[in-house]
Every structure is written in structure tokens, then in C-alpha cells.
Amino acid sequence: MYKNTLLNCRFSILYRIFAFDKQYVYQMRKAVTLYELNQLVSDTIAASMPDEYWVEAELAEIHEVRGHCYMELIQKEPFSNTPVAKATAKCWKTKWMQIRPHFERITKQRMHAGLKIMLKVHADFHAAYGFAWIVTDIDPAYTMGDMARKRQEIITVLKREGVFELQKELVLGMFAQRIAVVSSANAAGYGDFCNQLECNEYGLHFDIELFQAVMQGEQVEQSIIAALNAINERIDDFDVVVIIRGGGATSDLSGFDTLALAENVANFPLPIITGIGHERDESVLDMVSYARVKTPTAAAAYLIGHLAEVLARVEDARSQIVSYVRRRMEHEKLRLNALSNKIPILFSAVKVSQTARLNSLFMRTVSAMNRHLTAEKHHLDMLSAALFPSVRRRITAEYHRLEMLVQRTDAVNPDILLRKGYSITLHNGKLLRDVRSLRVGDEIETKVEHGSVRSVVKAEE
């Protein structure tokens, strides 16, 4: 219906321009001013297209000037970015102040480039400013449907790739205290997140490192992916990743519903918690993440609760260990008491047994010693009987040998020689054998049988 109407409008415009009465033909031959020509087109369009039309289009550009909204509309070929139609649209301030809040309240986002919308427009040609479509209404339900369709297409692709549930299969470490945060440094939500962790009621400690990213607008996808890549390069330094966006408007969240971002989050090796801070339906990013909370503060509470639960388990285990040790100690104490009561009885029995054993050993030792002493005494008697004759013979032989030695000693005894008239001369207490060893003035001693004589050597005359 829209196409037929527009086609009829085109024919009507051509007809009015080239088939009007002779007066206009005459004027054209005479030449008209540009204003007159534009006014003619304006009158023709106003007369030929008095109705309003619902139009499907994509926003190529949108901006506000003094409360008025100016849009650049575009239509692309299916499965291609090649534009097949372009048009300018305007929404005057009085209408825009009604349309924009209603659209944002329903869709939970601002209108931005790349968004598909359905507009109610009527044609307007101004002699000074040219042609434009004047916007009188925008249907937010159409945009919501298009967003849902895109979201479902992304979900279908992720499930076909087998990555949609990958994050859910991860396990958040028991002591998840090293947190990589993807957020804007100036976001109020980031400050709330940090304050919540630092001031937790349990006194738990968390190490937080920020990886800055753009969390609103067209750069959301590339910025968050870059932050995740930076975290992945230091994957061993962290236990969990938190993507938070809060403290601002909840509009313009389409950047979180992209295939590339969802694939990066789904395939990330660490659990990712999202706290994007909006109340609308879950984004694709929320769906593929390990856990989704509504606000940055809730993300902090989630991590505190997890670590507090671990702390409670540790405390419970400690209590169980203490209780077990106490029960074991009581059991062992009772066992020791029972053993201590048995010790005197056992000791008495052991003492009697060991005393009897020692007495038996003593008697056996005495008997063995007596037998051994008797045997050794008999052996000694036999040795004595055999030893005496041999000793007598040996003594006799040695006595004879000593007599021979005495005789030989007497033969060389100096006293015997002196008694025979010999003398012995000593020099310096030594036997003098050679007179050539003497010097004039030397003193020598000559021993005889009865006494000795000292002499001094003099020179020969």
C-alpha cells in the first residue's frame, strides 16, 4: 500500500510540474525563480501527499539542536551494508519532548546510530531548506522486536557453536579474592563496588585491579574485548572477572548484545560476573556469563557472600577438628587411665616372671661356671704335671750356660787383669788406645790393682 501511494505521488508530482496549464508552461519558458520552483514543488507535495506514513528505517545519524531532533535515515540491502535509500527526517521540539521519553522508557535505551526504528512521518518541502520527512511518532515496540530478534539470532549462533553454557561449567575458586574489574574508572558503580568489598562486615580482604573500558555507546564491544584480552595475558594473577556498569543512565545498552562480545565472554577461562546495572531483560552478555547480578553493589555482595561461605566452612571445619581432637583426647585419656590401672598388676606379674627367669639363669650360670672351672683346673693340673720336668731341664741347661758366660766374663774382667799386674790408662774417662791422640798438657789416669795414678803429658826432651 505504501509503495503504491508513493508511486502515485511521484506521477502526480511529475504531472503537476510538466502537465500544468499553458500559463505555467509559458512562465517556465520565460524562466521562474528558484523560490517559485521550490514553492511549486512544496504545493504539489502538500496536495499530493497529505497523509502520514509509517516507515521502517535504520538510523544512520541522530543529533539534537535547540531541542529539535535531526535524523539521517538509511535502508540497506539484505545481508549487506550497501545503502539502497537515504532520507533526512526532523522531529520538532514539541513532539520530540514527548516521543523521546516514551521511547526510552519502553526500550530502556536512547536512540542511536545503527538502531532500527519505525517512524510515523509526513512529507515536507521547504522552499529554503529543501525536502525532509517530518516525524510525528516513533513505535518503540518495533525497536523492541528488532532487538529481541537480534538477541535471539546471537543466542542461536552461540548455542550452535556450543559455547552458550561454557561459563556455567566453570567453578569459582573457593578463595576468589583476586578480582579483575572491567569498568569505567569514573563510574559511580565502580566506586560502590570497591567500597562494598573494602568495608565488608567479615573483614575479608580482596585484591582489585581495574581494566578500564567504555561502558556506553558504540565502543562498548571493542573496549570490553580489549580489556578481556589484557586480563587473559595475566590469567594466573586473577581468580574472577567482574564486568560492571552502574551509577548512570540505564539507556544505550545495545553494545552488550553483540555476537563478538558474547563469544569472548563465553570462551573466557575465568568465571565472569556481570553487574551491568539495569532492570530490563537480560542482555546476551548476562546470559553467557558465569553469574548475573543487577548492580555493581550486588556483584560485590556476591563475592563477599561466596568468600564468607568459604570462611564459614573453614570455621566449621576448624570447630569439627577441635571437637574431634577433644573427643580423641578424652578417649585416649580414658585408655591411659585404664592402662595405668593395669600396670601394677602387669608389673607384679612381670616381676615374678622375670625374677624366676633371673634365678633360673643365675643357677644355670653358676652350674656352668663350676663345670668350666673344674675342667680348667683339671687341665691346669695336667699342664703342671707335664711342665715341671720340662722346667727342670730348662733351668739346668740355662744354669750351665750362665756358668759358661761367667767364665767368659771373668776372662775379660779388668779387675782380674789388674790383679795379674796389668794396668789400664784412661783419657777423659775413656780407654786410651793410641798415644797419638794425646796432646801436651792432657791429663791421663792409670789404674792398677790397688789404686790409680794421674799424670800430665809433657813434651819429649
Side-chain angles (χ1 to χ4, degrees), residues 82-139:
T82 303
V84 296
K86 290 184 178 180
T88 300
K90 302 174 184 177
C91 187
W92 303 124
K93 181 177 181 180
T94 54
K95 279 288 184 183
W96 183 242
M97 293 298 101
Q98 300 173 9
I99 292 173
R100 186 186 68 180
H102 177 67
F103 182 89
E104 292 180 356
R105 184 173 62 255
I106 300 299
T107 63
K108 303 301 181 183
Q109 65 172 325
R110 295 190 186 98
M111 281 187 282
H112 57 84
L115 192 67
K116 284 190 176 182
I117 57 176
M118 180 181 286
L119 310 92
K120 190 176 185 179
V121 299
H122 66 263
D124 178 71
F125 189 90
H126 194 278
Y129 301 108
F131 180 82
W133 293 104
I134 304 302
V135 179
T136 59
D137 197 3
I138 298 177
D139 184 4

Side-chain angles (χ1 to χ4, degrees), residues 367-436:
S367 177
M369 288 179 63
N370 289 334
R371 288 194 303 272
H372 185 69
L373 288 174
T374 301
E376 291 300 324
K377 182 179 180 181
H378 177 70
H379 181 63
L380 287 175
D381 290 342
M382 293 180 64
L383 289 176
S384 297
L387 183 61
F388 287 150
S390 178
V391 171
R392 290 192 185 98
R393 289 192 298 270
R394 182 64 180 271
I395 291 175
T396 301
E398 292 299 323
Y399 181 77
H400 178 69
R401 191 171 70 85
L402 286 174
E403 288 182 344
M404 297 296 293
L405 289 174
V406 169
Q407 292 178 5
R408 292 175 59 186
T409 302
D410 290 341
V412 295
N413 189 345
D415 293 335
I416 295 174
L417 293 175
L418 292 175
R419 285 197 297 269
K420 290 182 178 181
Y422 294 99
S423 65
I424 298 174
T425 302
L426 302 174
H427 178 241
N428 294 330
K430 297 180 180 180
L431 186 65
L432 179 62
R433 298 179 182 275
D434 189 352
V435 297
R436 291 176 293 181

Side-chain angles (χ1 to χ4, degrees), residues 58 74-86 116:
E58 180 180 324
I74 191 171
Q75 179 181 344
K76 299 177 182 177
E77 290 183 350
F79 310 106
S80 171
N81 289 325
T82 303
V84 296
K86 290 184 178 180
K116 284 190 176 182

Side-chain angles (χ1 to χ4, degrees), residues 231-251:
I231 296 171
N232 191 53
E233 291 178 358
R234 298 169 49 202
I235 197 72
D236 294 333
D237 295 340
F238 304 102
D239 302 313
V240 64
V241 178
V242 177
I243 301 176
I244 53 177
R245 175 188 182 273
T250 58
S251 60

Side-chain angles (χ1 to χ4, degrees), residues 74-214:
I74 191 171
Q75 179 181 344
K76 299 177 182 177
E77 290 183 350
F79 310 106
S80 171
N81 289 325
T82 303
V84 296
K86 290 184 178 180
T88 300
K90 302 174 184 177
C91 187
W92 303 124
K93 181 177 181 180
T94 54
K95 279 288 184 183
W96 183 242
M97 293 298 101
Q98 300 173 9
I99 292 173
R100 186 186 68 180
H102 177 67
F103 182 89
E104 292 180 356
R105 184 173 62 255
I106 300 299
T107 63
K108 303 301 181 183
Q109 65 172 325
R110 295 190 186 98
M111 281 187 282
H112 57 84
L115 192 67
K116 284 190 176 182
I117 57 176
M118 180 181 286
L119 310 92
K120 190 176 185 179
V121 299
H122 66 263
D124 178 71
F125 189 90
H126 194 278
Y129 301 108
F131 180 82
W133 293 104
I134 304 302
V135 179
T136 59
D137 197 3
I138 298 177
D139 184 4
Y142 173 84
T143 302
M144 291 289 290
D146 182 68
M147 291 164 53
R149 179 185 58 78
K150 288 183 178 179
R151 187 181 299 115
Q152 189 57 48
E153 289 176 354
I154 294 173
I155 293 172
T156 301
V157 172
L158 294 173
K159 289 184 177 180
R160 185 170 62 246
E161 293 175 350
V163 301
F164 189 77
E165 297 289 339
L166 283 183
Q167 275 281 312
K168 303 296 189 298
E169 297 174 3
L170 298 177
V171 177
L172 183 62
M174 290 183 63
F175 301 94
Q177 296 172 276
R178 302 174 301 167
I179 306 169
V181 180
V182 179
S183 178
S184 172
N186 299 322
Y190 173 64
D192 295 340
F193 176 81
C194 294
N195 290 334
Q196 183 82 358
L197 290 181
E198 291 174 2
C199 302
N200 68 85
E201 59 181 315
Y202 304 99
L204 301 172
H205 173 73
F206 294 88
D207 293 320
I208 307 169
E209 184 169 345
L210 174 66
F211 291 81
Q212 295 195 51
V214 177

